[in-house]
Amino acid sequence: MAQRLQKELANFMRDPIPGMSLDRNLVEGNLNVWVINVDGAPNTLYEGEIFKLQFKFPQRYPFDSPSVMFIGNKIPEHPHIYSNGHICLSILTDEWSPALSVQSVCLSIVSMLSSCKAKSRPPDDERYVQTCRDPSDPKKTRWFFHDDSV
Amino acid sequence: MVLVEEDRSKSENNSNEKNADNSQYECNICLDTARDAVISLCGHLFCWPCLHKWLETRPNNQTCPVCKSAISKEKVIPLYGRNCTDKKDPRDKVPPRPQGQRTEAPRNNFFGSGLDGLHVSFGIGAFPFSFFASTFNITTENRMPAPAPGSTQYAEEQFLSRIFLIVAIIFIIWILLA
Ligand SMILES: [Zn+2]
Ligand SMILES: [Zn+2]
């Protein structure tokens, strides 16, 4: 697993995703937690905003999915992103496959943000944020996926 | 200045090309050059140990990690390069998959709908507990891999459970009448 993360790190640095960069300070020494700075892409609703996306890799990565959420005080306002940073994205749980990677998850999140037509929170935001099993780990939640079109 | 930049972009191109070449033969799971390589019918390359581990992770939903098409141990092809000295099928190297741990659902139909009041009977002193012990033993035995329908073991078990059902019904009637 450490080897695969090393390779992912190298790939991530070699083919950076526009608007995404690794938060260097936080990666040093600990490959199991990555924080990625996300710049809202130009010509999207999030232009000019800056977010922090956190990846935590479980022991059995890549056979188990990473735990991915937005952290910090700026959480993108999006119909599939809860105000506690949890993201409703099927590839992070049910649809996870070991052929996916940090890069592919990042690309999904970028396209999710870019295709957003109107900023809003998920309809059950308030209830979910109060009742979710573990605010620091979205993987503890049993997710039901609304629709994949947004 | 311009020259230096050109040089840098050239070397970058070179290294990219090299990487592209190697990555064609990278396992889709560990991202390393595939060892004990196998290829799925959908054309995706893996190390057999990596793919095996994934198939074990989802025994009931075995899909190709890359394209999600159905996949199984029997549906992958081992790859042997020209100078590959080890001609052993990589699929035989990983310890054979452990037998599926089937847990038989509790045999509700055994004590069945007509015998719903049975738990009440436990309170009656005269009730033969040994009878229950033996029937419960039978059900635990059934936790082992269930015999295939049609086999003699299956027929025997069917026969046994029918006998016990009849015995149980007789006891219930006896209790009700007593
Ligand atoms: Zn591999
Ligand atoms: Zn495939």
Side-chain angles (χ1 to χ4, degrees), chain B residues 40 42 44 64 67 69:
Chain B
S40 58
C42 44
H44 294 116
C64 170
C67 69
S69 68

Short mmCIF file of all heavy atoms in Angstrom, two decimals, chain B residues 40 42 44 64 67 69, ligand 2:
data_model
loop_
_atom_site.label_atom_id
_atom_site.label_comp_id
_atom_site.label_asym_id
_atom_site.label_seq_id
_atom_site.Cartn_x
_atom_site.Cartn_y
_atom_site.Cartn_z
N SER B 40 -7.82 -9.89 -18.16
CA SER B 40 -9.24 -10.25 -18.13
C SER B 40 -9.76 -10.35 -19.56
O SER B 40 -9.12 -9.87 -20.50
CB SER B 40 -10.01 -9.19 -17.36
OG SER B 40 -9.81 -7.94 -17.98
N CYS B 42 -12.01 -8.69 -20.73
CA CYS B 42 -12.25 -7.32 -21.20
C CYS B 42 -10.93 -6.62 -21.52
O CYS B 42 -10.92 -5.46 -21.92
CB CYS B 42 -13.05 -6.54 -20.17
SG CYS B 42 -12.49 -6.78 -18.47
N HIS B 44 -8.09 -6.10 -19.52
CA HIS B 44 -7.38 -5.32 -18.51
C HIS B 44 -6.35 -6.15 -17.77
O HIS B 44 -6.61 -7.29 -17.40
CB HIS B 44 -8.39 -4.65 -17.58
CG HIS B 44 -9.21 -3.63 -18.32
ND1 HIS B 44 -10.57 -3.75 -18.50
CD2 HIS B 44 -8.81 -2.53 -18.99
CE1 HIS B 44 -10.98 -2.73 -19.24
NE2 HIS B 44 -9.95 -1.97 -19.55
N CYS B 64 -14.55 -6.34 -12.98
CA CYS B 64 -13.25 -5.81 -13.37
C CYS B 64 -13.09 -4.43 -12.73
O CYS B 64 -13.96 -3.59 -12.86
CB CYS B 64 -13.18 -5.70 -14.89
SG CYS B 64 -11.74 -4.78 -15.46
N CYS B 67 -13.32 -1.71 -15.80
CA CYS B 67 -14.50 -1.45 -16.61
C CYS B 67 -15.76 -2.06 -16.03
O CYS B 67 -16.82 -1.94 -16.61
CB CYS B 67 -14.28 -1.97 -18.03
SG CYS B 67 -14.23 -3.77 -18.10
N SER B 69 -16.91 -4.97 -15.90
CA SER B 69 -17.57 -6.12 -16.49
C SER B 69 -17.34 -7.32 -15.57
O SER B 69 -16.40 -7.35 -14.79
CB SER B 69 -17.07 -6.37 -17.91
OG SER B 69 -15.74 -6.79 -17.87
ZN ZN C 2 -12.16 -4.66 -17.69
#
